[in-house]
Amino acid sequence: MKKVYLYFANGLFLEAKSFGASGTSVGEIVFNTSMSGYQEIVTDPSYAGQFVTFTMPEIGIVGTNEQDMESRGAFCKGILVKRYNDTPSNFRSQESLSEFLERHGVMGITEIDTRYLTKMVRQEGAMMMVASTEVSQKEELQKILQSSPHIQEINYIDEVSTKEPYLHDKGFFDFEEMDYTKPQTKKKILAVDFGIKRNILNGLVQAGLLVEVIPNDFDPKSVIERYKQGEIGGVFLSNGPGDPAVLEKEVASIKELMSAGVPLFAICLGHQLLALAHGYPTYKLKFGHHGGNHPVKNLLSGEVEITAQNHNYSVPDEIEEIAEVTYRNLFDGTIEGLKYKEGVIYSVQHHPEASPGPKEASSIFKIFAKIACGERI
């Protein structure tokens, strides 16, 4: 392993060991509390521009494989782990994590106190950092960081979104058959790709929807016409990376869909974009919610659901003026779900596809499937 040097926006300078890709990389540090599923996290496009600190100390033991990919690649800047295991011990493994990261150009950083870093981020908030296997001087790293754009200034959506539309017709992975299910679909919907996770698509199909994935720069007029003609039953707005306030073009397109009465369902970034489209600005959380074990309360049923989360932004409580809050986060009380009073518009902040995580929140997909098929709920 090469030496790697880290410099943080608060002035902290550290030395560690590297695996995966070499080089120099700048991004925002966050921490994730999941106990498993590191490949799903690394390949979640919502982490574009970020370094992910894992609170789980042992990472790498199950290797990587094609089935656990959440997208076509890995978009995070790097991962920080306490101990990296380079010898996979899993019958599904096709490649070690180090080989996987190197192939995708993502840095791995190990032999570092991740508990200390987690506490630092929790106390001081998410911050920018630079990591390098090429530059070892603190002052040089400081210059690199100061001259680099902040994550809030970068539109990562154009990087992670698909360039061409495509159909998705596979459901959840069946571990007994070791293949994806092919549920019968009743209605087609469009899914706008802001950085969509594969298992979200699987969840939509599992609920009975044929999904056509379209780029983030879609033509809203064309979508509206397809809805009016009965070709599609609604539009899904996906998760994705970065500051939603940067996406003015996408917000304008969503406003057109809303004004035309197109049924909308959204997760994570899509949930935030809907708030912006209604005129309610989002705000940045101190260190965000990242993990596969976050409890939220379903205010409609009174049940508590354990969810997967990955977001740095939240919608304001003032949005209750125009929407009913359907879910609340039990860690900090932030809004986790909305049902708008006008139009057929639902959204959740958490990830009901839950990979990694339990499956109890996946009923949300069935609700949207009923809406898309014209059923009352």
Side-chain angles (χ1 to χ4, degrees):
M1 292 185 182
K2 294 182 179 179
K3 289 184 178 181
V4 59
Y5 300 90
L6 292 75
Y7 180 80
F8 300 83
N10 64 356
L12 179 67
F13 176 64
L14 299 174
E15 177 186 314
K17 296 291 182 65
S18 76
F19 61 99
S22 300
T24 302
S25 191
V26 177
E28 181 182 55
I29 182 173
V30 296
F31 63 84
N32 187 293
T33 58
S34 294
M35 298 295 287
S36 63
Y38 57 75
Q39 185 182 344
E40 291 95 326
I41 293 163
V42 169
T43 58
D44 180 351
S46 296
Y47 281 110
Q50 293 180 321
F51 283 90
V52 183
T53 302
F54 286 97
T55 59
M56 175 64 178
E58 300 285 346
I59 297 292
I61 194 66
V62 297
T64 62
N65 63 76
E66 176 59 30
Q67 287 77 30
D68 290 343
M69 295 289 291
E70 284 287 7
S71 66
R72 67 180 183 275
F75 297 97
C76 64
K77 292 291 186 176
I79 63 172
L80 297 94
V81 305
K82 175 64 175 178
R83 284 183 292 273
Y84 168 63
N85 293 280
D86 196 45
T87 305
S89 179
N90 188 289
F91 75 98
R92 297 175 65 231
S93 178
Q94 298 168 330
E95 190 176 28
S96 74
L97 178 57
S98 182
E99 293 168 332
F100 177 86
L101 293 180
E102 185 173 12
R103 182 161 58 86
H104 288 282
V106 174
M107 269 189 163
I109 299 167
T110 188
E111 296 189 20
I112 193 168
D113 190 342
T114 52
R115 178 175 291 184
Y116 175 83
L117 292 177
T118 300
K119 289 181 177 180
M120 180 185 77
V121 173
R122 191 176 62 194
Q123 292 168 4
E124 301 183 38
M127 66 184 73
M128 296 296 288
M129 61 166 284
V130 56
S132 179
T133 59
E134 305 164 321
V135 180
S136 60
Q137 296 299 313
K138 176 180 178 180
E139 292 75 16
E140 289 300 313
L141 291 172
Q142 183 181 29
K143 290 179 182 178
I144 293 171
L145 185 60
Q146 290 175 345
S147 62
S148 299
H150 195 279
I151 190 171
Q152 292 174 222
E153 302 168 356
I154 305 172
N155 182 349
Y156 282 105
I157 306 299
D158 291 333
E159 175 186 339
V160 301
S161 179
T162 183
K163 304 305 178 187
E164 299 292 336
Y166 65 91
L167 285 177
H168 187 92
D169 62 356
K170 296 179 180 178
F172 287 134
F173 191 76
D174 187 329
F175 285 95
E176 291 186 2
E177 299 294 331
M178 291 305 293
D179 200 0
Y180 291 94
T181 59
K182 293 273 287 188
Q184 183 179 359
T185 54
K186 301 176 182 178
K187 190 69 177 180
K188 178 189 278 190
I189 64 163
L190 300 182
V192 184
D193 182 8
F194 299 126
I196 200 164
K197 292 173 66 179
R198 181 184 291 177
N199 219 35
I200 287 179
L201 296 175
N202 297 345
L204 291 167
V205 174
Q206 195 74 36
L209 298 170
L210 177 63
V211 185
E212 180 182 334
V213 185
I214 60 175
N216 64 303
D217 59 352
F218 68 96
D219 176 13
K221 291 180 174 57
S222 173
V223 172
I224 292 168
E225 185 62 27
R226 294 177 71 178
Y227 171 68
K228 288 181 176 179
Q229 292 177 357
E231 181 189 349
I232 61 171
V235 173
F236 171 72
L237 307 174
S238 84
N239 62 295
D243 185 348
V246 175
L247 308 177
E248 296 179 357
K249 174 183 62 178
E250 286 81 358
V251 170
S253 294
I254 292 170
K255 285 182 179 179
E256 286 196 51
L257 298 183
M258 287 165 36
S259 64
V262 178
L264 299 173
F265 172 50
I267 288 176
C268 203
L269 178 65
H271 165 82
Q272 299 159 12
L273 292 174
L274 276 173
L276 288 169
H278 281 88
Y280 289 81
T282 55
Y283 65 96
K284 190 169 185 178
L285 299 167
K286 185 176 181 180
F287 48 80
H289 299 159
H290 310 278
N293 43 19
H294 290 229
V296 301
K297 186 170 183 178
N298 184 328
L299 301 181
L300 302 179
S301 68
E303 295 179 346
V304 174
E305 300 173 4
I306 304 301
T307 68
Q309 306 245 349
N310 177 21
H311 60 276
N312 273 12
Y313 294 85
S314 184
V315 302
D317 284 337
E318 289 77 14
I319 205 167
E320 289 191 71
E321 297 169 349
I322 61 165
E324 177 186 2
V325 177
T326 55
Y327 290 88
R328 284 276 184 187
N329 188 292
L330 292 182
F331 283 156
D332 60 8
T334 52
I335 293 174
E336 290 279 351
L338 293 168
K339 176 184 177 183
Y340 286 86
K341 296 176 183 178
E342 292 190 11
V344 184
I345 306 173
Y346 293 78
S347 66
V348 292
Q349 181 62 78
H350 54 276
H351 286 259
E353 81 285 355
S355 183
K359 298 289 184 184
E360 59 228 48
S362 60
S363 60
I364 293 171
F365 293 122
K366 297 178 182 178
I367 294 174
F368 184 54
K370 289 182 178 180
I371 294 169
C373 293
E375 298 179 32
R376 291 187 176 183
I377 60 169

